[in-house]
Amino acid sequence: MSDVQHAGRRPGPRFSRVGWLVLVAVLCVVVVLAVLFVPRLLRERQYGQLTVPEGQRASQIYAAVDQALKVPEGTTAQAARTAHLDLPAEAKGNPEGYLFPATYPLRKDTTPASLLSYMVKTADQRLTADRITSYRTVVIASIVQAEADRPADMGKVARVIDNRLAKNMPLQMDSTINYALGRSTLRTSHADIRTNSPYNTYKFEGLPPTPIDNPGADALKAAAAPPAGDWLYFVTVKPGDTRFTADYQEHQRNVREFNDAQKNSASGAATSSGPAPGGSTSGGPAPGGPTSSASVSGGSAAGGSANSAATGG
């Protein structure tokens, strides 16, 4: 018989009763968290996005939301009237100017009302960050957005508006007439400037009653703090070449140069490919409005036709 004793196999570690209770408790917590948060995560899953460009009107945004959310036409416009959006009192429930241009996520539970509220909340955050509290500033920014050829000119356009308001001169902005007529056009006729609307800044002094589009950050900053200057007139002779002046005669020379450039452009287009596109000639209106990079933007001042500019401010 061997003196070597075979060691018995020791039992492995075993969970104590307390250990099992802790494991069960942890599993219960995981299950509860899953029940609470997984549905929310599924709801918040992004189902696309909607980009609101700078300078779009509320009516254009409503149509884009209808399409993005696949709801019947007019649904978002109706929601804007009933959603009780957090707007300043001066807006009287009209969100024009406060649907901030940005890219917004669309989720499974996004509704027209919730998306409009998100846009207005975003606008409020941006205005607060820039210390803009005045409805008047937003109105001016909307005109600046429509009229300026490029961001670098926005401050000067805002200064022209302020200077003309200070002198009780009509603003004479084509963009406001286009808003009154529900259009975006390169032409403003003499009949147009007789339009009986508070948005006709040829006929009525002062600012229009509401913003005319939804301005971006650059336009808002320009309207809030325009640079010093005595400018009363401006005309975009060609893209990238906007000329500002306080001298009416100088402005008229700039307008004539603009009209000459338009005639030459029209003549070249007619020679090469038939009728010329819309534009100004010596006997017709000049381009203007929110989509025109060659807007005369000043009538005689800040936003009218080259020929009506001769009437002065």
Side-chain angles (χ1 to χ4, degrees):
M1 182 173 181
S2 172
D3 292 334
V4 178
Q5 296 183 355
H6 296 282
R9 181 177 298 175
R10 293 184 179 181
R14 299 173 62 184
F15 255 59
S16 67
R17 183 184 299 272
V18 174
W20 280 109
L21 290 175
V22 171
L23 178 61
V24 170
V26 170
L27 290 174
C28 288
V29 171
V30 170
V31 170
V32 170
L33 291 175
V35 170
L36 291 175
F37 291 104
V38 168
R40 178 179 293 182
L41 292 173
L42 291 174
R43 285 197 305 270
E44 292 183 355
R45 177 185 172 190
Q46 188 166 321
Y47 281 78
Q49 60 187 26
L50 174 66
T51 298
V52 176
E54 296 177 348
Q56 274 204 336
R57 298 171 185 164
S59 58
Q60 295 171 304
I61 296 172
Y62 298 157
V65 173
D66 285 347
Q67 185 174 10
L69 298 182
K70 298 179 173 58
V71 296
E73 183 179 350
T75 299
T76 305
Q78 177 63 28
R81 293 189 288 269
T82 60
H84 303 292
L85 301 172
D86 187 15
L87 298 165
E90 298 97 318
K92 299 179 180 178
N94 180 359
E96 190 77 87
Y98 289 83
L99 302 175
F100 193 78
T103 296
Y104 295 93
L106 304 178
R107 308 191 189 283
K108 187 175 182 179
D109 60 348
T110 299
T111 65
S114 69
L115 188 52
L116 293 177
S117 295
Y118 192 0
M119 293 178 188
V120 172
K121 182 179 180 180
T122 303
D124 182 63
Q125 291 171 342
R126 294 302 301 265
L127 292 171
T128 299
D130 291 333
R131 299 181 180 180
I132 297 173
T133 59
S134 169
Y135 187 71
R136 177 183 185 274
T137 299
V138 179
V139 175
I140 292 174
S142 73
I143 300 174
V144 169
Q145 185 73 65
E147 292 286 344
D149 178 48
R150 54 183 183 157
D153 294 329
M154 286 182 171
K156 288 184 176 182
V157 173
R159 175 54 62 192
V160 168
I161 294 171
D162 279 355
N163 288 346
R164 291 182 72 83
L165 291 173
K167 292 179 177 292
N168 295 317
M169 298 169 68
L171 295 182
Q172 297 181 312
M173 299 283 180
D174 289 355
S175 55
T176 64
I177 291 180
N178 279 332
Y179 188 79
L181 298 175
R183 69 184 190 187
S184 294
T185 181
L186 298 181
R187 290 180 177 270
T188 298
S189 69
H190 291 287
D192 292 336
I193 65 177
R194 292 193 293 271
T195 299
N196 188 26
S197 166
Y199 292 92
N200 182 356
T201 53
Y202 281 85
K203 188 172 183 178
F204 298 99
E205 291 183 6
L207 292 169
T210 72
I212 61 170
D213 57 45
N214 293 276
D218 288 337
L220 286 164
K221 291 176 181 178
D230 61 354
W231 312 292
L232 292 171
Y233 314 98
F234 67 95
V235 53
T236 299
V237 176
K238 58 184 178 181
D241 181 13
T242 301
R243 302 178 189 178
F244 296 82
T245 181
D247 183 88
Y248 181 65
Q249 297 304 320
E250 180 182 353
H251 176 67
Q252 285 298 95
R253 290 192 294 271
N254 292 335
V255 168
R256 285 194 293 271
E257 186 173 339
F258 166 80
N259 281 333
D260 289 343
Q262 290 296 305
K263 285 191 292 184
N264 292 336
S265 175
S267 175
T271 300
S272 62
S273 59
S280 171
T281 65
S282 59
T291 61
S292 173
S293 62
S295 172
V296 168
S297 299
S300 61
S305 66
N307 296 309
S308 63
T311 60

